[in-house]
Amino acid sequence: GWDIPRLPSQDRSLLVPVCPPRHLCDMGGAKTAYLIAYNAGCMAGWAYALYLALTALADGGALSSTWATMGTAIILSQSAMALEMVHAATGMVRSPVMTTVMQVLSRLQFLVWIPLAPTSASQWGCGMMAISWALVEVPRYAFYLNNLVGPGGQTGTLYPIFWLRYSLFAILYPTGITGEVLTLLACLADPSFASALGGFAPLLIKAMLVLYVPASPFMYMNMVKNRKGAFKKRFAKPPPPPKAPVGAEFPEDSKGGRSTSEAGKKAFAAAIGGSGVGEAEEAAAKCAG
């Protein structure tokens, strides 16, 4: 092999004549390269949006003007997020399709409503929503990227990224959902919104507000469940070492267990093979199989 330094930000399968972590090989090079590029691009887009917002706030900007500052970056990043529905539906990633569709569509709706109700973007709830989204998405895409270029599995993820991925939601989901509801209400209060989409836009938003009642607890508890499972896997105790054999034991079968069946079949096969009958060898082979 070649003595090449470790480069965390690159796909090392391009640099060394051996296969990278097994999960990269199994997925196929083209698909893995695409997912690496997709997650890296989305992470960069959301990080840039967050940078714009935090810089503006640090310079004395108001939360109500946040969308005007980071809105374009959010529109691009959020539009790219629509591909996650395709990834889940085609089996490219192991994500539940319905949950993914709910999450993505609940975000994409704002790319429609806000332009139709311009005043909704200038209230603090919209700013809180946008910043909450960015703070959730940067660690999420970093987590996915780490799994793709790292050794894989829960224990292969850098712990700070792992912790942020499964902990920030506890605060940012409530703040994000609150901001979304306030933005929807602000859309209804915009005079120009009453006639949007032929007058159907207000009805659609009212229907969405009703859906938030069951959907919000579902999405939150789904993340609670995911967090519990992820931490359980990461900190699972190693299996106990196998016990030393005591006395005579039957050999292991093909499934790793021990029983008299495997030994018995071999004994019968040996007896049939030594019987001297013309077709004894064939019969013995069938018995042993």
Side-chain angles (χ1 to χ4, degrees):
W2 303 333
D3 185 15
I4 294 180
R6 181 180 180 89
L7 300 176
S9 62
Q10 299 183 20
D11 182 359
R12 292 182 293 279
S13 64
L14 302 177
L15 303 178
V16 294
V18 295
C19 189
R22 182 176 63 82
H23 66 291
L24 295 186
C25 301
D26 293 345
M27 292 178 67
K31 184 174 77 170
T32 302
Y34 163 74
L35 289 174
I36 290 174
Y38 173 79
N39 286 288
C42 289
M43 182 183 70
W46 282 107
Y48 178 64
L50 182 61
Y51 165 79
L52 292 176
L54 296 181
T55 301
L57 291 175
D59 290 339
L63 193 59
S64 58
S65 62
T66 301
W67 185 268
T69 302
M70 61 190 299
T72 301
I74 285 185
I75 290 171
L76 294 175
S77 302
Q78 193 63 62
S79 298
M81 190 177 173
L83 289 172
E84 293 189 18
M85 295 187 290
V86 179
H87 299 164
T90 58
M92 185 177 290
V93 297
R94 293 180 297 176
S95 297
V97 178
M98 287 307 301
T99 302
T100 302
V101 170
M102 288 174 59
Q103 289 176 327
V104 173
L105 291 183
S106 69
R107 297 275 196 85
L108 289 178
Q109 64 170 325
F110 292 94
L111 305 189
V112 178
W113 305 139
I114 291 176
L116 294 176
T119 60
S120 65
S122 58
Q123 49 91 29
W124 66 271
C126 187
M128 183 171 68
M129 171 189 74
I131 292 177
S132 297
W133 287 357
L135 286 171
V136 164
E137 298 306 331
V138 172
R140 184 170 76 92
Y141 284 112
F143 176 83
Y144 295 153
L145 190 60
N146 193 161
N147 281 345
L148 287 166
V149 301
Q154 300 289 4
T155 57
T157 306
L158 295 174
Y159 185 73
I161 295 177
F162 174 86
W163 188 89
L164 289 172
R165 167 71 180 104
Y166 288 110
S167 301
L168 286 180
F169 80 93
I171 296 174
L172 296 177
Y173 267 36
T175 58
I177 291 171
T178 301
E180 291 173 11
V181 171
L182 292 174
T183 303
L184 292 176
L185 293 174
C187 289
L188 292 176
D190 189 308
S192 63
F193 194 72
S195 59
L197 302 181
F200 284 100
L203 295 176
L204 292 174
I205 280 193
K206 290 175 182 178
M208 288 302 303
L209 287 170
V210 172
L211 289 177
Y212 266 76
V213 176
S216 298
F218 170 79
M219 301 302 294
Y220 189 88
M221 294 310 299
N222 180 66
M223 276 304 300
V224 171
K225 179 181 177 182
N226 290 344
R227 184 183 195 276
K228 183 178 180 181
F231 273 80
K232 183 177 180 181
K233 288 181 181 179
R234 186 177 182 102
F235 298 106
K237 295 181 179 179
K243 296 181 179 180
V246 179
E249 287 188 345
F250 285 99
E252 290 187 0
D253 56 25
S254 58
K255 297 181 179 179
R258 299 181 186 274
S259 70
T260 60
S261 300
E262 203 67 27
K265 285 197 296 183
K266 292 180 179 179
F268 277 111
I272 294 172
S275 65
V277 181
E279 299 178 350
E281 291 186 2
E282 182 180 352
K286 290 182 179 180
C287 180

